[in-house]
Amino acid sequence: MRFLVVFLLMLSCVFDSKGAIIDPAIPAPSLVPTPSNFRYEENNGSLRIMWNWYPNDGVITLPPKLPPPAELFSVPREGNYKYSIDVEIAELSNNNIYSMLSNDYRLLGSTISNSYLYNMAVFSAVKFRVRAKRTDTFTDSSVYSAYLYSPLINRQVKLSAPSISPDGGNVIPTDNIIITNAQQAVMKYALIPLESDCSSVNNWLTYVAPLSINSSRQLCVFATKIGSLSSDIKEAVYTVSSPANTKQIIFIHTDLLGSPVAESQGEQ
């Protein structure tokens, strides 16, 4: 009876070419290793995605030699293989979320580098997946690795510069200078001497109410918001005149006796 049990167990096993038992619960190693360590960086609206896959100064090299299946090849032929990375993307546009909800990936292209540059000018959020491909140049057949998936990457939109009213020119100390931005951003400002440069400002103030100035100054403003790129700095130059130096309108008329009388604007 013991011999029968052992015999039945042996019939249920799978053996390799050397007679060792192969556990069917453990998947066989892939001929093409999967990329790892996905990462990315954003620069002026472009997104560079990166990963690790047999790196050698950023260029993919051949992996260690692995024997091909005996039923397909009589001898290993690593010299007849070429390798690349397929880069695929799922995009979430500002007006259409269907592609992201359906997890619909499309092929962006293939590369032999460990990075890929993508322009995010249209889409507000994206996901990537990459996989390695080994192509047999003799048969033109390809074998793929498993996918390496990226997290959801939200695009950092650059804010537009704030609007300033009045946008420079002559003002008096009682005039209000109003700063606005349509993107519900926080607006930062600084009042600096005319000969100074906005790019050198270190101490920015948060705009909360209309401004007034008592001397000729330069106003520097920009918009900022969490999750977005800050706007460019906008500048406005103001020349301040005191009320005593402003031009007066003179009214000349005659009194009841016919004598000329001169009055300035504001007099009763």
Side-chain angles (χ1 to χ4, degrees), residues 48-60:
R48 181 173 293 279
I49 61 173
M50 297 163 285
W51 55 86
N52 289 350
W53 198 83
Y54 296 103
N56 181 15
D57 296 331
V59 178
I60 294 174

Side-chain angles (χ1 to χ4, degrees), residues 41-48 117-123 155-158 229:
E41 60 184 25
E42 187 171 355
N43 185 17
N44 294 327
S46 295
L47 198 67
R48 181 173 293 279
L117 187 63
Y118 172 69
N119 190 332
M120 295 188 69
V122 177
F123 297 93
R155 175 192 178 200
Q156 290 185 305
V157 180
K158 186 173 183 178
L229 298 176

Side-chain angles (χ1 to χ4, degrees), residues 92-245:
L92 171 61
S93 71
N94 294 324
N95 300 317
N96 181 10
I97 63 173
Y98 171 77
S99 62
M100 185 63 72
L101 292 177
S102 63
N103 207 30
D104 183 18
Y105 286 85
R106 65 178 180 87
L107 179 65
L108 279 176
S110 296
T111 177
I112 60 171
S113 172
N114 275 344
S115 66
Y116 190 91
L117 187 63
Y118 172 69
N119 190 332
M120 295 188 69
V122 177
F123 297 93
S124 58
V126 294
K127 286 185 71 175
F128 295 93
R129 66 183 186 185
V130 298
R131 63 178 178 177
K133 178 173 68 174
R134 188 186 77 173
T135 302
D136 188 322
T137 57
F138 182 75
T139 63
D140 202 30
S141 60
S142 297
V143 178
Y144 297 89
S145 73
Y147 280 109
L148 169 68
Y149 288 85
S150 79
L152 178 64
I153 302 172
N154 290 303
R155 175 192 178 200
Q156 290 185 305
V157 180
K158 186 173 183 178
L159 299 171
S160 59
S163 298
I164 308 173
S165 180
D167 193 9
N170 294 320
V171 296
I172 60 175
T174 56
D175 286 341
N176 284 331
I177 301 173
I178 300 174
I179 306 171
T180 57
N181 183 272
Q183 296 166 296
Q184 298 181 339
V186 175
M187 287 162 290
K188 298 289 187 177
Y189 76 93
L191 289 166
I192 62 176
L194 297 179
E195 63 274 10
S196 299
D197 193 324
C198 289
S199 62
S200 62
V201 175
N202 292 319
N203 298 320
W204 294 91
L205 302 175
T206 300
Y207 175 82
V208 294
L211 308 175
S212 59
I213 55 178
N214 297 316
S215 61
S216 298
R217 308 282 282 176
Q218 182 177 188
L219 174 63
C220 311
V221 300
F222 73 93
T224 183
K225 186 177 181 180
I226 295 176
S228 301
L229 298 176
S230 296
S231 73
D232 294 330
I233 297 174
K234 189 171 184 178
E235 307 169 3
V237 177
Y238 298 93
T239 302
V240 176
S241 301
S242 64
N245 296 329

